[in-house]
Amino acid sequence: MSTQARGLQNFISDLRNAKSKEEEQARVDKELANIRKKFTATPKQLGEDGSNTALSSYQRKKYVWKLVYIHILGYDVDFGHPEILALVRSNKYSEKSVGYTALALLLRGDDPLMNAILGTIRKDMTTPMPATAKNNAPTTDTAQSLALCTIASLSGLELIQTLHAEVQHTLVAKSSTPHVKKKAALCLLRLVRTSPKLVSGREFAPHMAQLLQDRHLGVLTSCMSLLYGLASQNPREYESLIPYAVHILGMLVLKKACAREYLYYRTPSPWLQIKLLKYLQLYPQALNSGQEVGAPKGTQEHIAQLSNVVSKILTETDVSDSINKSNADHSVLFEAVNLICTWGSAGPPQLREGGMKLLGKFISVREPNIRYLGLLTMAKLAQLDGTARSIKKHQATVLVSLKDADISVRRRALDLLFVMCDTDNAERIVDELVAHLPMADAAIREEMVLKIAILAEKYATDLRWYVDTILKLISISGDHVSDPIWHRVVQITTNHPQGDLQAYTAATLLVAASPRRCHETAVRVAAYVLGEFGFLVAERPGMSGEEQFRILHQHWATSDEHTRSILVSTYAKLANLYEECRPLVAPVFARCKNSVEVEIQQRSAEYAAMREAFGPEAVEDLLREMPPFEDNKQSALEQRLREKEGDDSAAVAKAARPSAEQRKRAAQSAAAARAAEEVAAQQSAAANEEDDPISPISDGSPGADPSEKPTVGIPKDVIPAMRKAFSNLCTTPSGVLFENSLLQVGVKHEYVGAQGRISVFFGNLGKSPMTHFRAILEESSHLRMQKQGTEGLFDENEDGGATVAARTQAKLLLLVEVAAPFDDAPAMRITFETEEGEIHEYPLRLPIVATCFLEPVTLEAPAFMQRWKSLEGQDRECQEVVKTPPNAPKIDEEYMKRIAHIITKGLKFGRCPGCDPTPWTVSGASTFKTGAKDANGNNINVGCLVRVEANPQAGAFRVTTRTLHPLCSKAVKNVALVSIKLA
């Protein structure tokens, strides 16, 4: 190259010797100007492809190499493309290689010039050439390899769609050499990642089966990369290739059948082994299908062979003195353990035990990388059933890893301790973590505090120990105790009035807040708890109301705005409970009325004026203790952990599973919760029918001032018909929503996924025009609306509104997208004025309910029952019994068919075959679609299950809905009840 491209070498040397950016820029600009001049051709020198025919081969290559180098340095190169194409078309290898290199770097797949070179690329890739080169001509291998590498490097959907068939043909062709097959497999993988639907699994799987029988390990390695990429997108279509993967793995591991050049420190092709194991992890059910009675003999043999392979990997892998061999062997080992984790409890127990024993050995070695991977993999293995006892044997070793010099190892040790914790060892692990907290780095303290708080709550046999643990965290590392942690203490204390927890917490926090130097988080939680439950300890020595105020108020000067706001509310409650505290609290409120902090000023002014504005009983009600918090399935601490570590974390999976102690506490609170539900149900039953969340009548405020003109509302005799019409519209695409002698409101609506199109027609049935006609829609956070309609329809000005002539219509078009679950229908207030001067106002609701955004899902009976059981709980389940109307026919099989039609066609649920053993039940599944996006940009959807059970003797139905979101459960139940009543 030194004799052929001396100019290129000199140019590179000049750039390297440049003393400043400006000098380099000047040299590049000068060179670009020179190259542009050389490429500019006279009419006689201009070739058919736009290149300069006067340039010699040496000059063209030299200048193109310079353009490539300039491009690599980051400068824009927007000329010279015809010369690049001329090099690609050349029959000389030296020119073709330069051309393809420049083509891959300087052009894009959607460039118009690519159409001119597609034929050459296709020819190089498919047309056979001599196996040996003559006169610097490219061989079959080199031409095909250059073309494949260039296709993989270029982007552009049109290029991919044009050449992907040739790439597939080159890959499967018997004439292709191993070198070309490797390039073709990796090129096709790149194309598939760009356009996932490029390859049909059913058609391509047989070709992959032939490729997996190739004896060349390089071809197998590249093909496994391709297979893993394809199977990750469509696992079912490539499941038939499992036997081939197991056979290759068996040859490498059991028989050591490997060419010498693919032995890596006496380990047969570790890269191929890893790819095979990762592919097999996509099929966790393969082990179950092979062990079933009646499974094909060949399948059983492959499963047995796979078990032997994994067993041998576990038994023969050991720590080696050679770092390279150790890294290769352990990479294979950890993928084998991941495969065992993928199998779950269905895998052979001896493999789980063997993996755990081996990992226990690795987490004690000196090499930090192996320790890290050992801790990480053991945390995955610890999630399997039946591994708790064996993993506890390594608890002491994991505790030692908490003191490791490498922070990443400490994090993995913390994760493993979190996962292995249970009721038996919780106190010891939590105490060890708390003892280690003062010595922990600041980078890991927040994570440690969060996980200690979750473990203390999850496995506390006595909630007083939980309170003590959180106080220790505050005293040791108060800056890292986030608000959700102490909020959780308040929530648990408030929700567990049984026993002496509330009094114990109040007394403990009062003692903790007594020193003048106390962390501000302790002051906040003490202030809140003493304001709520301080009266429980007021009779104890040194804990009177006056003493509580004195202890809390000593921290006023050093507290921030948030803490002072809590203290002000606590002072108000203390003054309400204890007469002796009122003279102490009054001066504080008087000073704070002029505070620059708006929150403190407002609270102080309101509390000070409360006794003057309200009577003693009203003040007592306003300042009584807070009611129990809503006990969500996922606490704020679990949500914070999920935000920090992601859904795939072993710690997140562990935190999401309720412990035995948590279930026990939930059972203890169930009686109080049921009593509260009964009271709420009674209040709901006694409420006015107009408060029904899916009632056709909204609770809209009156439009005009009654003192000016009389306002006419909805006639009472129309309401029963409206209710039936509204219910029908919830399950049918069109109909009349409202009709009287003056106005008819018709609705036509259709929905696709999370979006809907609603047309509303307002017909004037009278003989005179309606003036100032308006339709005012209530905006809501859960529905995004775009509206358009007759001019003036949305004008709320006094003189505005539309005019609807007699026997004509005004129109309203709504485009809606649901953003979150909801249980009410959007309100629409219609107002107009008649010729006689009467103002009519009709508060209606549009039949846009949650079931409109459902899409049916068909589930088999086992899958339905599994999801049904997983959605147990008062937050996720809504249930109500409804009796049939007195004039309704007797419940029989024909009646149940109508109910099934309502559930499937009206409410958009898919029937679940096998779930209804008797004709008196109807079960269905669907998905509530929303337009909201999660962190990955995917739409957030909610799975919904419904079950209707009939009691013909009692003439009643029980409707049960279960979803992940309480509002979804309630909304679907409400619509189902109304529809069943009118069936």
Side-chain angles (χ1 to χ4, degrees):
M1 181 175 176
S2 60
T3 58
Q4 294 184 353
R6 183 168 298 172
L8 174 61
Q9 291 182 347
N10 293 338
F11 173 62
I12 294 173
S13 297
D14 291 345
L15 293 181
R16 288 179 176 175
N17 295 329
K19 297 179 180 179
S20 65
K21 180 68 178 176
E22 291 74 18
E23 186 178 343
E24 179 185 293
Q25 177 77 52
R27 181 68 181 88
V28 169
D29 292 343
K30 178 181 177 181
E31 191 63 39
L32 286 174
N34 179 54
I35 296 173
R36 192 187 296 272
K37 181 179 178 181
K38 294 291 184 182
F39 282 172
T40 303
T42 62
K44 292 183 179 181
Q45 297 171 340
L46 190 65
E48 293 181 0
D49 56 359
S51 62
N52 188 347
T53 58
L55 290 175
S56 66
S57 172
Y58 165 76
Q59 290 175 319
R60 185 175 282 116
K61 288 188 294 183
K62 180 180 68 172
Y63 294 138
V64 169
W65 274 128
K66 287 184 178 181
L67 290 179
V68 169
Y69 187 73
I70 291 171
H71 171 76
I72 292 174
L73 290 179
Y75 296 94
D76 291 333
V77 176
D78 56 0
F79 67 95
H81 298 158
E83 309 302 330
I84 295 173
L85 301 186
L87 289 173
V88 173
R89 293 192 183 97
S90 173
N91 291 325
K92 295 182 179 180
Y93 170 73
S94 60
E95 296 182 4
K96 190 177 285 289
S97 62
V98 176
Y100 271 121
T101 303
L103 182 65
L105 291 173
L106 300 181
L107 270 77
R108 295 180 301 176
D110 55 358
D111 195 299
L113 287 174
M114 289 303 302
N115 295 325
I117 202 65
L118 285 178
T120 303
I121 297 176
R122 186 180 287 110
K123 178 182 176 183
D124 287 343
M125 192 164 47
T126 58
T127 305
M129 292 187 179
T132 58
K134 294 182 179 179
N135 299 325
N136 198 24
T139 63
T140 306
D141 273 15
T142 55
Q144 287 182 306
S145 299
L146 288 171
L148 289 167
C149 290
T150 302
I151 294 171
S153 299
L154 292 170
S155 60
L157 187 60
E158 184 177 349
L159 176 70
I160 292 172
Q161 293 175 345
T162 304
L163 294 178
H164 77 90
E166 283 77 8
V167 175
Q168 292 185 46
H169 175 74
T170 304
L171 174 61
V172 301
K174 294 182 179 179
S175 59
S176 297
T177 64
H179 186 73
V180 170
K181 286 184 178 180
K182 291 191 292 182
K183 298 284 186 184
L186 297 178
C187 177
L188 185 58
L189 175 61
R190 178 66 180 270
L191 301 185
V192 167
R193 286 174 176 169
T194 305
S195 181
K197 296 183 180 180
L198 203 61
V199 176
S200 171
R202 294 182 180 179
E203 298 176 2
F204 195 66
H207 296 301
M208 284 302 307
Q210 289 185 352
L211 290 169
L212 292 179
Q213 298 177 51
D214 199 300
R215 295 186 177 182
H216 195 283
L217 289 183
V219 174
L220 289 177
T221 304
S222 298
C223 289
M224 278 309 304
S225 297
L226 173 61
L227 177 58
Y228 182 71
L230 294 171
S232 299
Q233 298 172 357
N234 300 295
R236 289 188 178 181
E237 296 183 353
Y238 298 93
E239 189 173 1
S240 59
L241 301 179
I242 292 177
Y244 296 95
V246 174
H247 174 72
I248 298 170
L249 199 56
M251 295 295 292
L252 293 173
V253 177
L254 300 178
K255 298 183 179 180
K256 306 289 185 183
C258 178
R260 188 172 182 179
E261 59 268 24
Y262 285 93
L263 280 173
Y264 185 77
Y265 289 87
R266 301 190 303 279
T267 301
S269 189
W271 308 278
L272 180 55
Q273 292 187 48
I274 291 170
K275 294 178 188 296
L276 291 163
L277 290 169
K278 288 176 73 69
Y279 164 73
L280 293 172
Q281 290 168 30
L282 298 175
Y283 303 96
Q285 76 285 355
L287 194 69
N288 295 338
S289 60
Q291 293 175 345
E292 291 176 355
V293 178
K297 185 177 180 181
T299 303
Q300 294 179 355
E301 291 176 354
H302 284 108
I303 296 304
Q305 185 181 13
L306 180 57
S307 299
N308 293 336
V309 167
V310 176
S311 178
K312 188 165 186 180
I313 292 174
L314 294 179
T315 54
E316 292 192 356
T317 304
D318 204 348
V319 180
S320 173
D321 294 335
S322 171
I323 295 178
N324 292 330
K325 177 172 176 56
S326 183
N327 289 340
D329 290 347
H330 287 90
S331 299
V332 177
L333 170 67
F334 290 125
E335 289 301 334
V337 176
N338 285 337
L339 181 59
I340 296 173
C341 295
T342 304
W343 288 340
S345 55
Q350 64 272 18
L351 290 182
R352 294 200 300 271
E353 291 293 330
M356 190 66 71
K357 183 178 180 181
L358 197 59
L359 291 173
K361 182 179 177 181
F362 290 151
I363 63 175
S364 60
V365 301
R366 295 183 60 183
E367 174 61 35
N369 290 334
I370 295 177
R371 274 205 317 281
Y372 176 90
L373 289 172
L375 292 166
L376 178 66
T377 311
M378 187 178 279
K380 294 181 182 178
L381 203 58
Q383 297 180 66
L384 304 183
D385 295 335
T387 58
R389 181 177 299 177
S390 57
I391 200 171
K392 287 179 185 177
K393 298 176 183 177
H394 310 291
Q395 182 173 314
T397 307
V398 180
L399 286 169
V400 172
S401 297
L402 269 181
K403 304 171 185 177
D404 195 273
D406 191 334
I407 189 172
S408 59
V409 174
R410 295 200 296 274
R411 279 203 169 98
R412 296 286 74 79
L414 178 61
D415 283 346
L416 182 52
L417 284 172
F418 186 87
V419 172
M420 70 165 58
C421 190
D422 59 18
T423 307
D424 297 332
N425 61 0
E427 287 196 24
R428 185 188 170 194
I429 289 180
V430 169
D431 290 344
E432 290 280 358
L433 291 175
V434 171
H436 180 69
L437 188 59
M439 301 173 286
D441 289 349
I444 199 175
R445 275 196 178 191
E446 184 178 359
E447 184 180 350
M448 284 188 70
V449 167
L450 177 61
K451 291 183 176 178
I452 291 171
I454 293 175
L455 290 178
E457 176 192 345
K458 204 173 188 66
Y459 297 106
T461 55
D462 185 348
L463 287 174
R464 291 177 297 181
W465 172 73
Y466 164 70
V467 172
D468 291 340
T469 302
I470 301 301
L471 283 179
K472 288 180 185 177
L473 295 179
I474 294 174
S475 63
I476 295 172
S477 185
D479 291 340
H480 298 94
V481 177
S482 57
D483 286 345
I485 294 178
W486 76 263
H487 290 172
R488 190 64 179 160
V489 174
V490 170
Q491 180 177 346
I492 290 176
T493 304
T494 305
N495 288 7
H496 291 83
Q498 307 92 343
D500 64 342
L501 176 64
Q502 293 175 345
Y504 177 82
T505 305
T508 305
L509 287 169
L510 185 61
V511 173
S514 296
R516 288 194 63 86
R517 299 188 63 181
C518 173
H519 197 277
E520 194 163 354
T521 303
V523 177
R524 290 178 182 177
V525 65
Y528 190 98
V529 171
L530 289 173
E532 297 296 316
F533 311 113
F535 66 92
L536 297 173
V537 297
E539 301 299 326
R540 299 183 186 181
M543 295 187 178
S544 64
E546 187 177 354
E547 192 67 20
Q548 291 178 29
F549 172 81
R550 185 191 63 78
I551 291 174
L552 291 175
H553 195 58
Q554 68 178 341
H555 303 291
W556 178 271
T558 57
S559 299
D560 62 10
E561 175 193 356
H562 182 42
T563 307
R564 288 185 179 185
S565 300
I566 300 173
L567 287 171
V568 168
S569 297
T570 301
Y571 294 166
K573 294 196 173 191
L574 291 176
N576 180 58
L577 291 171
Y578 313 111
E579 190 75 31
E580 65 271 19
C581 287
R582 292 175 187 174
L584 303 175
V585 171
V588 178
F589 286 170
R591 288 196 304 271
C592 291
K593 285 181 181 179
N594 300 320
S595 174
V596 295
E597 303 294 348
V598 177
E599 181 69 21
I600 298 173
Q601 181 189 106
Q602 182 177 353
R603 291 194 186 202
S604 301
E606 290 176 356
Y607 288 140
M610 188 179 291
R611 292 193 174 278
E612 299 175 3
F614 305 106
E617 293 183 359
V619 174
E620 191 75 26
D621 287 337
L622 289 170
L623 295 177
R624 70 171 61 252
E625 61 269 19
M626 295 291 289
F629 291 86
E630 183 180 357
D631 196 7
N632 295 322
K633 284 293 181 183
Q634 187 183 43
S635 71
L637 302 187
E638 293 174 18
Q639 293 175 3
R640 187 172 179 83
L641 183 64
R642 188 181 298 274
E643 292 170 2
K644 289 175 67 68
E645 301 195 3
D647 293 336
D648 297 332
S649 168
V652 172
K654 171 78 171 182
R657 292 194 298 268
S659 67
E661 293 301 324
Q662 286 178 310
R663 290 193 293 269
K664 183 179 178 181
R665 292 197 295 269
Q668 291 173 349
S669 302
R674 281 196 298 270
E677 284 184 5
E678 290 175 4
V679 172
Q682 292 171 0
Q683 292 175 348
S684 177
N688 192 302
E689 287 185 343
E690 291 185 3
D691 293 332
D692 187 351
I694 61 165
S695 169
I697 306 173
S698 75
D699 53 354
S701 58
D705 188 349
S707 63
E708 296 179 3
K709 291 183 181 180
T711 301
V712 180
I714 298 175
K716 290 185 178 181
D717 58 341
V718 179
I719 293 177
M722 283 180 60
R723 291 188 179 280
K724 187 170 183 179
F726 182 87
S727 175
N728 290 335
L729 276 170
C730 289
T731 56
T732 55
S734 61
V736 175
L737 176 63
F738 172 84
E739 184 174 8
N740 63 4
S741 59
L742 295 177
L743 177 68
Q744 183 187 68
V745 181
V747 176
K748 181 179 180 181
H749 53 156
E750 55 186 356
Y751 303 87
V752 177
Q755 298 178 336
R757 178 188 176 94
I758 300 93
S759 300
V760 186
F761 307 92
F762 308 94
N764 184 352
L765 304 181
K767 297 180 180 179
S768 58
M770 297 176 177
T771 57
H772 306 302
F773 192 98
R774 303 180 183 89
I776 308 303
L777 290 167
E778 178 189 63
E779 299 289 340
S780 59
S781 59
H782 54 262
L783 284 177
R784 292 190 280 264
M785 292 188 184
Q786 294 182 13
K787 55 187 178 181
Q788 60 185 35
T790 303
E791 184 178 358
L793 191 63
F794 310 121
D795 188 356
E796 295 189 62
N797 293 328
E798 185 176 354
D799 297 325
T803 299
V804 184
R807 305 297 178 182
T808 62
Q809 288 182 339
K811 296 180 182 179
L812 165 65
L813 176 62
L814 287 177
L815 301 177
V816 302
E817 183 180 50
V818 63
F822 64 98
D823 63 344
D824 59 341
M828 178 178 67
R829 181 163 50 88
I830 301 173
T831 61
F832 60 91
E833 187 172 346
T834 62
E835 194 175 43
E836 293 77 20
E838 283 185 330
I839 295 177
H840 289 250
E841 178 173 342
Y842 302 150
L844 306 178
R845 288 190 184 274
L846 291 173
I848 306 173
V849 292
T851 54
C852 296
F853 303 95
L854 296 182
E855 283 190 2
V857 175
T858 303
L859 295 176
E860 297 297 328
F864 179 91
M865 295 310 299
Q866 181 182 3
R867 295 191 185 185
W868 184 263
K869 292 178 181 177
S870 69
L871 292 174
E872 288 180 347
Q874 66 182 58
D875 285 358
R876 300 176 176 182
E877 179 183 286
C878 269
Q879 187 179 93
E880 191 168 336
V881 175
V882 57
K883 283 188 170 291
T884 57
N887 57 349
K890 186 178 180 181
I891 298 177
D892 54 14
E893 293 190 10
E894 287 298 321
Y895 199 113
M896 291 304 298
K897 287 181 181 179
R898 291 204 301 274
I899 297 298
H901 185 269
I902 290 173
I903 297 298
T904 55
K905 302 299 182 183
L907 304 186
K908 303 181 183 178
F909 278 83
R911 286 297 296 272
C912 300
C915 289
D916 303 317
T918 70
W920 311 117
T921 61
V922 178
S923 303
S926 66
T927 302
F928 178 80
K929 298 286 187 176
T930 75
K933 305 286 185 182
D934 61 13
N936 297 321
N938 301 318
N939 281 23
I940 299 175
N941 302 320
V942 181
C944 303
L945 303 179
V946 68
R947 192 157 204 173
V948 180
E949 299 162 282
N951 186 339
Q953 292 76 20
F957 292 90
R958 182 170 66 183
V959 180
T960 308
T961 57
R962 291 185 180 180
T963 73
L964 282 171
H965 200 287
L967 282 181
C968 272
S969 302
K970 181 181 177 183
V972 174
K973 184 260 297 180
N974 288 337
V975 180
L977 284 176
V978 175
S979 301
I980 289 172
K981 285 180 183 178
L982 301 175

